[in-house]
Amino acid sequence: MLENLIETYGEGAILMALGGLVGVLFGATAQHSRFCLRAATVEVAEGKLGPRLSIWLIAFSAGVLAVQTLIVLGWLDVSQSRQLATTGSMSGAIIGGLMFGVGMILARGCASRLLVLSATGNLRAIVTGLVLTLVAQSALRGALAPAREQLASLWLVPGGTMRSLLLQTGLTSTLAAMIAAVALGAALWHSHRQSVKTSHAIAAVGVGLAVALGWLGTYVVAMNSFEVVAISSVTFTGPSTDTLMGLVNSTELPLGFGIGLVPGVFVGAGAMALATKEARIQRFGPDSPMEVYLIGAALMGFGSMLAGGCAVGAGMSGGAIFALTAWVAVGAMWVGAMVTQRVLHRPSLVIA
């Protein structure tokens, strides 16, 4: 059946539809669960193991469990994904991850969170997200590209065995899935102790399942297509730049997973916000100076392209397949965010 659909509509259209479905699921569950890496890092930086941390841990462990289970069952093979098969940059993961971590504290949200908030009527998130996307495009193909390439070339790792944490450590997907199952149980127990609403915890699981669905869907399309189709999952900086540049630079959008993902997330988050009566207009104000948000957006735009992904693209999608650079990048994001949070909130330091 899928072969017939691909023959009739083409790989691009099928991938765009898949991206839209995954996006709706991610957007709705991320909005309802308040899934946010920045919020989790703020709690830890302040010495708390609170509800936001439990939500992030639930989503992350659910994503790892679902993806590794699919691999164990033989339904998914991620060995040819970009995060594992191609040359990666450890220097990019470290430097870019640190920049992204600093930026998401200043902008009060990572790339995915800004997109979700934009759908709820948050004008700060819309403006910040646009700046993030423009800087990311500049880092990918524009004036900032030479700087990104120079930093990325400082420490490279070849694709294959060297980029797989499982192969490097000798762990199997079965063991990884078992560890993730234990981690998910612990995160759910912690969320209960933190009085997290059951619906929020379930929605956090949905965030992880959206990541797994992205990997599975693109893999199935790739296996049924006569064309070369890159398998991928949820990530935001790259697809956002492709969508924006396609809208302003071309009369036709190149169809693909990312082109469906971004509007799908917007629709899913917006629908959830309307259903729960949480949609409202929010603007910049005295307690939310625009210049701080824009600096954060610029750091995240450049940092995500240097690190090879955003907090979801590296932290969730790359983390779920145990890509070495993805784990290093998300670790650097945690460090950058926590240090920034501690510095900005020292008693002797006053920030406008």
Side-chain angles (χ1 to χ4, degrees), residues 82-83 92-93 96-97 100 111 234-238 300-316 318 325-326 329-330 333:
R82 174 184 61 83
Q83 291 94 327
F100 193 96
V234 181
T235 187
F236 289 100
T237 313
M300 282 196 290
F302 186 87
S304 60
M305 285 302 175
L306 179 58
C310 60
V312 172
M316 293 285 291
T325 49
V330 74
M333 291 175 191

Side-chain angles (χ1 to χ4, degrees), residues 22-34:
V22 172
V24 168
L25 174 60
F26 183 95
T29 54
Q31 163 59 20
H32 188 62
S33 65
R34 276 67 168 175

